[in-house]
Amino acid sequence: MIDMDAVAGILRDVAREVILPRARSLSEGEVMEKTPGELVTVVDQEAERVITARLRELLDAPVVGEEAAASDSALVETLRSEPVAWLVDPLDGTRNFVEGRREYGVMAALVRGGETVAAWIVQPEQDRVYSAERGSGAWRDGVRLRREPAPTDPGRLRGAVLSRFLAPEARRRVEAALPRFAEVGSGSHCSAFDYPLLCEGAQDFLLFHRTLPWDHAPGTLLLAEAGGVSRRPDGTPYRPDQARDALGLLNAADETCWKTVRELLS
C-alpha cells in the first residue's frame, strides 16, 4: 500500500514551491523547444528533479519522468522491466503555462507489473487534487467521483478530439463524423484537465492519437475508478508499459458511449 495523501502532498508542495511562483513570469531564456513544436521550461525540469527525489524517499523505485525520458528514451523500458516504477509529468500543459493560461497540472502514477495502480492529478491554480487507487475509487479533494452514464443519442454527446497528430486520412474521417455529435472541441491541451472534465461530466468522450504514459496513466485510472472506459481503438486496454509509439486511445463515460463513439469515428 502507498500513502496516497503523502504523494498528493508532495505534488502540491512542489506546485507551490516551484511552479506557481513562476506562473506568468518566465523569461525568454527559460523556455526551450525540446522537439519541433514541443516546449519545455526550467520549471518542468526543476519540478521533476524535486518530485523525483521526494517520491524515492517515500518508495525507493525507479522514476520515469517526462523530461528524463526526453534525454534518455530507454528509461521508459523501466515500466516493463521493473516490478514497480513511478511515472511523473511535472508540468502537464507546458504550452498553456508558457502562454499564461491556468490549465496546467502536475501528475504522477504508480505502476506495478506494467499496470497503473495509483494516480494523482494536481491542478495548482485551482488548488484541486484528484486521486485514484485501483479498486478503491476515484476522488477529488476527498469527495468520491462517480461518472454518470452519457446520453445514448450521439446528437447529445460532447467530447474532445486532439487531431493535431492524426494522419491526413484519419483526420478527414474524424472531421466528417463531428457533425453527428452535439459538441466536439480540441480539449484543453492538458490531460490534467481533460480527464477530470470527463470524470465529472463536462465531457462524454476524449480521443487521443499519441499516448505517452506520463500523459495518460493517471487519467485513465481516474476515469476507470470513476466508472468510465479507456481502450485502444481496437478494443484492447490501455497500459502504460506499452511501446511509446503505440497510437490511439478512446476514453468514454461508459461502455455504450465508448462503442457509439468508436463506431462513428473509426
Side-chain angles (χ1 to χ4, degrees), residues 44-117:
D44 297 71
Q45 296 167 341
E46 182 179 351
E48 182 166 304
R49 284 194 295 270
V50 177
I51 292 170
T52 295
R54 295 186 185 178
L55 288 180
R56 294 203 71 165
E57 290 175 358
L58 191 64
L59 175 65
D60 189 15
V63 178
V64 180
E66 177 179 5
E67 306 316 324
S71 301
D72 179 9
S73 60
L75 183 61
V76 180
E77 296 299 320
T78 301
L79 300 174
R80 284 190 285 275
S81 64
E82 297 292 330
V84 183
W86 293 104
L87 260 174
V88 173
D89 190 337
L91 182 55
D92 184 54
T94 298
R95 184 173 293 277
N96 292 349
F97 184 78
V98 170
E99 293 175 353
R101 296 174 56 189
R102 293 165 54 86
E103 294 85 7
Y104 60 87
V106 186
M107 302 197 295
L110 186 64
V111 177
R112 291 186 186 274
E115 295 186 351
T116 310
V117 296

Side-chain angles (χ1 to χ4, degrees), residues 17-266:
E17 297 165 6
V18 179
I19 298 174
L20 283 170
R22 306 305 297 279
R24 292 170 287 279
S25 65
L26 290 170
S27 64
E28 183 177 345
E30 293 175 324
V31 181
M32 295 75 73
E33 193 175 55
K34 59 182 176 182
T35 60
E38 295 290 321
L39 300 181
V40 64
T41 74
V42 294
V43 178
D44 297 71
Q45 296 167 341
E46 182 179 351
E48 182 166 304
R49 284 194 295 270
V50 177
I51 292 170
T52 295
R54 295 186 185 178
L55 288 180
R56 294 203 71 165
E57 290 175 358
L58 191 64
L59 175 65
D60 189 15
V63 178
V64 180
E66 177 179 5
E67 306 316 324
S71 301
D72 179 9
S73 60
L75 183 61
V76 180
E77 296 299 320
T78 301
L79 300 174
R80 284 190 285 275
S81 64
E82 297 292 330
V84 183
W86 293 104
L87 260 174
V88 173
D89 190 337
L91 182 55
D92 184 54
T94 298
R95 184 173 293 277
N96 292 349
F97 184 78
V98 170
E99 293 175 353
R101 296 174 56 189
R102 293 165 54 86
E103 294 85 7
Y104 60 87
V106 186
M107 302 197 295
L110 186 64
V111 177
R112 291 186 186 274
E115 295 186 351
T116 310
V117 296
W120 300 263
I121 298 174
V122 172
Q123 297 175 348
E125 299 219 18
Q126 296 73 19
D127 196 25
R128 285 196 290 256
V129 178
Y130 296 85
S131 62
E133 190 172 12
R134 184 172 294 279
S136 298
W139 307 82
R140 188 192 84 175
D141 297 327
V143 177
R144 184 75 177 263
L145 293 176
R146 290 185 174 87
R147 170 65 213 220
E148 295 296 323
T152 56
D153 176 6
R156 296 176 58 200
L157 293 177
R158 298 164 297 167
V161 176
L162 192 60
S163 61
R164 173 185 170 192
F165 299 104
L166 290 176
E169 179 58 32
R171 186 181 296 112
R172 283 192 291 270
R173 290 198 305 271
V174 167
E175 290 175 349
L178 297 187
R180 300 285 302 276
F181 300 103
E183 179 183 341
V184 180
S186 58
S188 66
H189 303 282
C190 175
S191 293
F193 269 75
D194 287 332
Y195 278 102
L197 288 172
L198 176 54
C199 291
E200 295 180 306
Q203 300 276 25
D204 298 310
F205 66 89
L206 298 169
L207 176 64
F208 296 99
H209 183 60
R210 294 200 314 172
T211 58
L212 299 173
W214 40 81
D215 286 332
H216 299 283
T220 52
L221 181 61
L222 187 77
L223 179 61
E225 290 297 316
V229 177
S230 296
R231 294 200 194 104
R232 301 287 185 181
D234 64 2
T236 57
Y238 172 80
R239 289 173 58 99
D241 66 344
Q242 290 163 331
R244 287 187 64 173
D245 57 359
L247 300 176
L249 179 60
L250 177 58
N251 304 277
D254 55 71
E255 185 73 29
T256 298
C257 181
W258 191 92
K259 291 178 179 178
T260 297
V261 175
R262 179 183 180 275
E263 181 178 350
L264 290 175
L265 294 182
S266 64

